Amino acid sequence: MRWVVGNWKMHTTPSEAYRLALRLREGLAEELERYPQVRVAVCPPFPNLEAVSRALQGSPILWGAQNCHEEVEGAYTGEVSARMLAELGCQFVLVGHSERRRYACESDAQLARKLQRVVEFGMRPVLCIGETLEERRSGQTAAVIERQLSGVLGRVPATAWAGLLVAYEPVWAIGTGVAATPEQIAEAHAVVRHSLLQQGLPPEVPILYGGSVHAGNAESILGIPEVVGVLVGTASLRAEEFCAIVRAAIRQAWC
């Protein structure tokens, strides 16, 4: 199985998201029906989820959200719960993206509760981890990965591991146009796998890479051992380029 997940971040209005989703459906639906071993999902902003669901309903392309609150409901003005997302047909929710950790100061304990809620309502959590440039330069990459994984997964019961995907996204590569080298990616993914196994998770947990993934480097990244998918940012907003990334995943799935 190969995975391609698009994170649209704070881009597109509902009408723009609808048109983009339609273009992806037109460009990919037939191929994805022929190659079911490649799973594709997009994560638009909250206000655009309904429009995207209309555009993709009945197609092989799935949709998800970029975040959720850790409570099911309550007096949390401006927040969105996993229960709401599930009713909109979301199949995935990003948990712990570095931009959430940085700008919203989300803690490991908070992320653990979010992960539990996502699974509770039948969706798949995509747990994002990764080190900053300073942490990499000081040789702390492995320690940061292990701390982030244990800090979240160590706080949830094994029943919350269902459907988990892990996305390694070095913070210094997100939105910079500079992806990690194949050697850096392979090394980090090996650390992720080892850490997951140490915590008792099954070896089948998919590990994705994210950070300046584009059509020009997707195939080489997907060819790295332990990399079974990509989390795509800016390039997922360009229909032709995102389709090219998905086709790279299809080719790698047959290697």
Side-chain angles (χ1 to χ4, degrees), residues 91-102:
Q91 294 100 333
F92 298 84
V93 181
L94 305 185
V95 176
H97 192 281
S98 64
E99 290 159 359
R100 296 294 309 174
R101 293 177 189 260
R102 178 181 178 185

Side-chain angles (χ1 to χ4, degrees), residues 28-44:
L28 294 171
E30 288 187 10
E31 288 177 271
L32 292 177
E33 287 170 357
R34 291 200 304 271
Y35 303 103
Q37 65 271 51
V38 176
R39 305 291 297 276
V40 176
V42 294
C43 298

Side-chain angles (χ1 to χ4, degrees), residues 21 24-25 28-29 32 40-42 56-57 59-63 91:
L24 295 178
R25 178 174 186 157
L28 294 171
L32 292 177
V40 176
V42 294
L56 298 179
Q57 192 71 47
S59 81
I61 304 174
L62 309 175
W63 59 92
Q91 294 100 333

